[in-house]
Amino acid sequence: MLDWIVGYMPENIATFGEDIDYVINLIGYIVFIWWILAEGVLFYFLFSSRKKEGVKATYEDGSTMKAMSWVLIPVVLVLGFDLFIDYKSHSAWDKIKIQLPKADVVYRVMGQQFAWTYTHPGVDGKFGTGDDFEPDDLVVPVHQVVHTVISALDVIHSLWIPNLRFKQDSVPGRIITGWFEATKTGDYPIACAELCGTGHGVMASTLKVLEADAYKSWVAQQSAAALAQ
Ligand SMILES: [Cu+2]
C-alpha cells in the first residue's frame, strides 16, 4: 500500500534507489491528499454558489480577512508541507549529492546536441592518455561505485537513468560529479531529461551493467583498440 506510487516506476537497480523512492512516495501522497482537498473545495463552491431563484450574483473583491484567509491558510499549509518534505528528505540528499563514496570507476560524460559522449580513462585509469576511449554506451561494473563527471558543450542537458533513480543536469561552464552503484547486471535505458532542441527525444543510449570480470576484459579490449589506432 505504502509504495503504490513507485510501484509504477521502472525496477530500481541503485544502492540509493530506495531513498529516492521514499521521497517520491512521500511527495506523491502529500500532493494526492492536497488534490482531493482542493477539488473538494472547488466542487463545494460550484454547487453552493450555483444560480438560485431570487439571489443576485455579487462581486467579492477579496479585501476582507475572511476572503484572504482562503489564500493565506493554504499558503501556510503548503509551506508546512514543504518544510516537512525537507525534514524527511535531507538525509537522502546528503547521502546522494553531498557525500560521494570513493570511485572505483570514473567516466567523463558530456552532453551536446544531440548525443551523450562517454569518455573512459582506459586501463591506466588516467584521462588524456592514449588508451582513453569513447564507447557508445555507458558500460559499468556491477556492485562498484561509478563517478560521472558531467559537462555540456552547448546548452543544458540532463543525464537521466531511470532504473538508477539518477538524474543530473549537464550545464555549460560547469563540471558536476555524480555517482551511482548498480546492483544488477543488464541493459537499461539512458535519456536526456532537459528539453535541449529538436533532437532531444533521440538523445538516447544504454547503460550496460556487467559482471566485474566481463567489465575488466571489455576495458582491456577497448583500451588496446584505442592504443592501436
Ligand atoms: Cu539533451
Side-chain angles (χ1 to χ4, degrees):
M1 166 64 189
L2 280 172
D3 60 356
W4 64 272
I5 293 162
V6 297
Y8 293 97
M9 300 206 353
E11 182 188 9
N12 163 37
I13 59 150
T15 49
F16 56 59
E18 281 182 17
D19 300 72
I20 297 278
D21 287 355
Y22 170 80
V23 179
I24 290 174
N25 255 326
L26 179 71
I27 295 172
Y29 276 109
I30 290 174
V31 169
F32 180 69
I33 291 165
W34 190 255
W35 178 72
I36 297 281
L37 267 172
E39 294 301 301
V41 170
L42 173 68
F43 279 95
Y44 170 76
F45 281 123
L46 270 178
F47 282 101
S48 68
S49 309
R50 67 189 183 278
K51 188 179 175 188
K52 292 185 196 106
E53 279 304 319
V55 179
K56 261 190 100 179
T58 55
Y59 175 71
E60 295 269 353
D61 66 2
S63 62
T64 63
M65 205 56 207
K66 195 183 164 199
M68 280 192 284
S69 65
W70 282 99
V71 173
L72 295 176
I73 291 172
V75 164
V76 170
L77 285 174
V78 167
L79 183 65
F81 284 136
D82 271 353
L83 293 173
F84 181 67
I85 291 166
D86 286 346
Y87 170 68
K88 297 295 271 183
S89 64
H90 73 85
S91 60
W93 177 266
D94 201 42
K95 179 173 172 182
I96 297 162
K97 294 288 190 185
I98 307 293
Q99 296 170 358
L100 279 65
K102 211 175 145 296
D104 298 309
V105 177
V106 180
Y107 265 96
R108 282 184 183 159
V109 181
M110 190 182 66
Q112 74 182 93
Q113 292 169 321
F114 294 99
W116 293 106
T117 302
Y118 307 112
T119 307
H120 191 289
V123 174
D124 65 0
K126 291 193 183 76
F127 287 103
T129 55
D131 68 347
D132 295 11
F133 58 92
E134 293 181 354
D136 290 338
D137 296 312
L138 188 58
V139 182
V140 302
V142 71
H143 300 307
Q144 290 188 38
V145 175
V146 178
H147 279 202
T148 52
V149 181
I150 302 173
S151 61
L153 186 68
D154 37 38
V155 299
I156 300 176
H157 304 271
S158 185
L159 184 70
W160 186 27
I161 312 170
N163 293 88
L164 285 175
R165 307 298 192 259
F166 181 105
K167 190 188 275 175
Q168 174 60 60
D169 279 7
S170 70
V171 183
R174 285 192 64 185
I175 292 171
I176 304 168
T177 303
W179 74 278
F180 61 82
E181 181 182 333
T183 57
K184 200 178 164 192
T185 57
D187 289 3
Y188 308 93
I190 300 178
C192 180
E194 187 68 58
L195 186 58
C196 58
T198 49
H200 166 67
V202 296
M203 215 171 138
S205 59
T206 304
L207 171 77
K208 288 180 184 290
V209 183
L210 305 180
E211 294 291 353
D213 287 350
Y215 169 77
K216 231 177 151 185
S217 51
W218 175 80
V219 171
Q221 182 203 332
Q222 295 289 315
S223 274
L227 283 169
Q229 269 175 7

